[in-house]
């Protein structure tokens, strides 16, 4: 097959389809049916729509439409945090340290980072969190509260923003790295997983169809990105998995995985989970970013 080129004409066509109300899944299927390879089509969609959202006052670029499977319609896309990888850097300046770029995916938008945290910062977060650990809860979107969930078998706690110097320093680093205000972030959640503990695949956004979601959104709007930071290394198991794309990130001390989602819909392909720890224990710190200031 001859090499396929993403031309200005193709970009204009993609924008026309999105503006007309077709979801990315529908546009992708149309491109593949017309002879485009799936990888080129996905790249063209991702780069074109991201740039369009940034430069065309955003949200109306991608309209909602029912999927072929009859799933709930995709929501309107919104601007999201992101890293500037336009020049394919090996490292990014995060202000007080250089952070390594290890791997990237475009759809879902996933970036694996190395050297985000120092060993001393990892130790400080674990030691400060240890006395406050309790069985992890999940957000209950039917009511807007919290609940025990059998899919989540870790123990954890929350820091408030800037609660200790290490948290404040890392929050400022993340804000610079992904171009998103510190105040739009939830407090760190630190989690510890013993052998056998896991978090089964789930989405981090709040389901718009659930009755408790409006209450949750009053605190800062939807979640639009997640950063999972690894504070130690289990001997076996405990990776962060993305089942929709067959991708797994190994838990390496000081490293992190960032992923964003511009709408609360499975079309973002951000289904993810914490694989069971097989040997040792796993500690992570999770940072969720919201559309607006989180209060």
């Amino acid at each position: 097959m001859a090499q396929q080129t993403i031309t200005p004409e193709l970009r204009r066509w993609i924008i026309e389809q999105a503006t007309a109300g077709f979801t990315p899944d529908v546009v992708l299927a149309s491109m593949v049916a017309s002879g485009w390879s799936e990888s080129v089509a996905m790249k063209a969609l991702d780069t074109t729509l991201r740039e369009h959202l940034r430069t065309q006052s955003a949200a109306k670029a991608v309209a909602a439409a029912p999927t072929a499977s009859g799933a709930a319609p995709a929501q309107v896309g919104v601007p999201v945090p992101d890293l500037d990888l336009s020049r394919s850097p090996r490292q990014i300046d995060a202000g007080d340290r250089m952070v390594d770029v290890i791997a990237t995916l475009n759809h879902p938008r996933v970036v694996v980072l190395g050297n985000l945290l120092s060993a001393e910062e990892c130790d400080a977060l674990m030691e400060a969190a240890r006395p406050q650990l309790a069985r992890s809860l999940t957000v209950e979107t039917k009511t807007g509260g919290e609940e025990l969930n059998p899919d989540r078998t870790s123990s954890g706690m929350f820091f408030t923003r800037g609660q200790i110097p290490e948290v404040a320093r890392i929050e400022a680093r993340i804000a610079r790295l992904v171009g998103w205000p510190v105040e739009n972030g939830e407090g760190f959640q630190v989690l510890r997983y013993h052998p056998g503990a896991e978090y089964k695949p789930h989405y981090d956004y709040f389901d718009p169809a659930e009755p408790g979601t409006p209450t949750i959104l009053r605190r800062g709007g939807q979640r639009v990105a997640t950063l999972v930071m690894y504070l130690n290394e289990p001997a076996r198991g405990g990776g962060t998995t993305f089942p929709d794309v067959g991708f797994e990130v190994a838990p390496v001390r000081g490293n992190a995985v960032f992923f964003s989602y511009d709408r609360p819909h499975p079309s973002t392909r951000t289904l993810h989970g914490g694989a069971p720890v097989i040997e040792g224990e796993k500690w992570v710190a999770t940072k969720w970013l919201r559309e607006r200031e989180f209060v």
Side-chain angles (χ1 to χ4, degrees):
M1 179 183 292
Q3 182 176 359
Q4 295 179 320
T5 303
I6 302 172
T7 63
E9 291 77 13
L10 176 62
R11 294 182 184 277
R12 282 196 293 272
W13 179 83
I14 289 172
I15 292 171
E16 289 170 359
Q17 302 311 300
T19 305
F22 294 102
T23 65
D25 287 347
V26 171
V27 179
L28 176 63
S30 177
M31 292 178 69
V32 172
S34 298
W36 288 90
S37 74
E38 185 174 10
S39 61
V40 174
M42 287 175 61
K43 181 179 180 181
L45 271 171
D46 182 77
T47 57
T48 301
L49 294 180
R50 281 180 184 277
E51 183 63 24
H52 190 61
L53 283 170
R54 287 175 183 151
T55 60
Q56 301 294 319
S57 77
K60 293 183 181 178
V62 183
T67 64
S69 64
Q75 305 299 310
V76 173
V78 299
V80 297
D82 202 1
L83 296 91
D84 183 4
L85 304 180
S86 58
R87 299 177 62 86
S88 300
R90 187 178 66 82
Q91 291 186 314
I92 299 179
D93 185 356
D96 60 344
R97 68 192 290 113
M98 297 300 293
V99 176
D100 299 325
V101 179
I102 296 176
T104 66
L105 293 174
N106 285 329
H107 187 56
R109 181 55 162 176
V110 177
V111 183
V112 182
L113 301 168
N115 194 41
L116 179 64
L117 306 182
S118 69
E120 293 75 18
E121 288 169 335
C122 292
D123 289 340
L125 291 179
M126 290 189 289
E127 289 310 306
R130 193 182 301 272
Q132 304 175 60
L133 293 175
R135 172 69 187 273
S136 298
L137 302 176
T138 59
V139 174
E140 171 49 71
T141 52
K142 294 187 185 303
T143 64
E146 293 181 314
E147 65 173 354
L148 284 174
N149 187 329
D151 289 345
R152 191 179 204 185
T153 51
S154 59
S155 56
M157 56 78 67
F158 277 94
F159 287 110
T160 57
R161 283 200 306 265
Q163 183 172 335
I164 61 176
E166 291 82 5
V167 167
R169 184 165 63 246
I170 297 167
E171 286 174 333
R173 188 180 305 155
I174 293 169
R176 173 164 176 153
L177 196 64
V178 303
W180 212 247
V182 169
E183 59 267 23
N184 288 23
E186 298 181 30
F188 283 5
Q189 183 182 44
V190 175
L191 299 172
R192 180 177 64 181
Y193 294 81
H194 291 295
E198 64 179 320
Y199 194 179
K200 293 181 180 178
H202 60 283
Y203 298 100
D204 280 353
Y205 56 73
F206 305 114
D207 186 348
E210 294 291 347
T213 293
T215 299
I216 298 167
L217 299 187
R218 283 202 290 267
R219 299 193 65 189
Q222 268 288 0
R223 286 175 175 167
V224 289
T226 301
L227 186 72
V228 179
M229 298 164 277
Y230 305 106
L231 306 182
N232 81 323
E233 298 177 13
R236 289 194 298 150
T240 302
T241 63
F242 293 84
D244 285 349
V245 290
F247 188 63
E248 181 169 347
V249 181
V252 176
R253 179 175 166 93
N255 287 7
V257 58
F258 166 87
F259 53 100
S260 61
Y261 27 99
D262 67 353
R263 68 203 68 208
H265 192 270
S267 63
T268 60
R269 306 176 82 183
T270 52
L271 184 72
H272 65 286
V277 175
I278 299 172
E279 182 180 352
E281 64 177 17
K282 179 180 76 169
W283 288 73
V284 300
T286 301
K287 181 72 170 179
W288 288 290
L289 302 178
R290 297 283 193 108
E291 291 179 280
R292 304 185 297 275
E293 181 178 0
F294 179 73
V295 294

